């Protein structure tokens, strides 16, 4: 497995979780909460891993600089929304609105990474680097998980 396959696997997991949360009605608050804490955990580990390993390996390349800077900013927005959601009650209608916006931004971000960023990254990282990064990414995720 290489880093792109691993990141795509993470992306699919998050997209599935968003689908599950959407299927829940307001009367089923509890499962919705479970899915949300899972989304929160998955996004946290994934973004930390990307910011520690994947993005730094690419950001110095001039063909990637702009995309990577934008990606950091999108992560920042995602973290900010999650942080805000933690401060308000889940019964608040703003919580549901924030969840929708979170989903929109994450979906957009995933699409851009998979359709554009990965393609460019393949020209910057060689096969060995992409495979080696995959192992390091798994390790990093475990560390982040333990700290969370
Ligand atoms: Fe990302
Ligand atoms: Fe990603």
């Amino acid at each position: 497995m290489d880093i792109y396959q691993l990141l795509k696997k993470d992306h699919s997991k998050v997209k599935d979780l968003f689908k599950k949360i959407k299927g829940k009605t307001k009367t089923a608050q509890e499962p919705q909460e479970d899915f949300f804490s899972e989304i929160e955990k998955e996004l946290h580990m994934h973004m930390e891993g990307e910011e520690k390993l994947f993005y730094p390996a690419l950001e110095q390349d001039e063909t990637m600089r702009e995309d990577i800077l934008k990606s950091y900013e999108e992560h920042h927005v995602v973290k900010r929304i999650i942080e805000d959601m933690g401060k308000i009650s889940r019964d608040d209608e703003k919580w549901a609105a924030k969840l929708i916006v979170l989903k929109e931004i994450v979906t957009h971000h995933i699409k851009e990474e998979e359709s554009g960023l990965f393609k460019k990254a393949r020209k910057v990282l060689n096969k060995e680097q992409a495979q080696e990064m995959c192992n390091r990414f798994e390790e990093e995720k475990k560390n982040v998980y333990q700290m969370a």
Side-chain angles (χ1 to χ4, degrees):
M1 186 151 57
D2 65 19
I3 187 68
Y4 310 108
Q5 289 166 309
L6 180 66
L7 295 176
K8 275 188 183 172
K9 212 173 101 186
D10 276 5
H11 291 168
S12 303
K13 197 170 177 186
V14 168
K15 283 195 278 186
D16 283 348
L17 285 167
F18 271 116
K19 269 182 211 150
K20 280 184 189 162
I21 213 172
K22 201 184 146 207
K24 297 291 160 195
T25 62
K26 276 198 168 174
T27 50
Q29 281 299 326
E30 217 177 327
Q32 193 181 37
E33 287 191 16
D34 287 348
F35 288 135
F36 183 69
S37 31
E38 228 182 304
I39 286 177
E40 196 180 357
K41 193 183 81 191
E42 280 302 319
L43 282 175
H44 177 65
M45 291 191 298
H46 181 83
M47 290 191 297
E48 289 302 310
E50 283 185 340
E51 288 180 20
K52 208 160 178 183
L53 298 168
F54 189 53
Y55 294 170
L58 303 167
E59 67 187 358
Q60 297 309 326
D61 188 276
E62 60 173 37
T63 62
M64 304 225 54
R65 184 84 183 150
E66 205 183 310
D67 290 328
I68 297 295
L69 287 178
K70 227 183 98 193
S71 292
Y72 279 120
E73 288 310 313
E74 286 175 353
H75 280 197
H76 178 70
V77 175
V78 167
K79 288 176 198 172
R80 184 62 200 270
I81 296 173
I82 292 174
E83 196 189 315
D84 286 352
M85 287 173 85
K87 288 180 191 160
I88 58 172
S89 159
R90 289 173 199 236
D91 298 328
D92 192 322
E93 57 183 359
K94 280 188 189 164
W95 195 87
K98 285 179 193 296
L99 180 66
I100 293 169
V101 175
L102 178 70
K103 190 191 167 190
E104 283 170 359
I105 293 172
V106 169
T107 308
H108 162 86
H109 182 75
I110 287 175
K111 207 174 157 193
E112 281 201 337
E113 284 189 338
E114 291 186 2
S115 65
L117 204 86
F118 288 3
K119 204 175 157 196
K120 285 186 190 169
R122 280 194 171 92
K123 290 181 185 159
V124 178
L125 302 173
N126 63 34
K127 273 186 183 168
E128 289 73 36
Q129 286 172 313
Q131 273 164 11
E132 200 243 343
M133 193 182 287
C134 176
N135 301 331
R136 278 165 63 206
F137 197 94
E138 295 268 36
E139 281 305 308
E140 184 57 33
K141 268 180 78 176
K142 273 182 219 153
N143 290 339
V144 174
Y145 181 71
Q146 276 157 9
M147 283 191 303

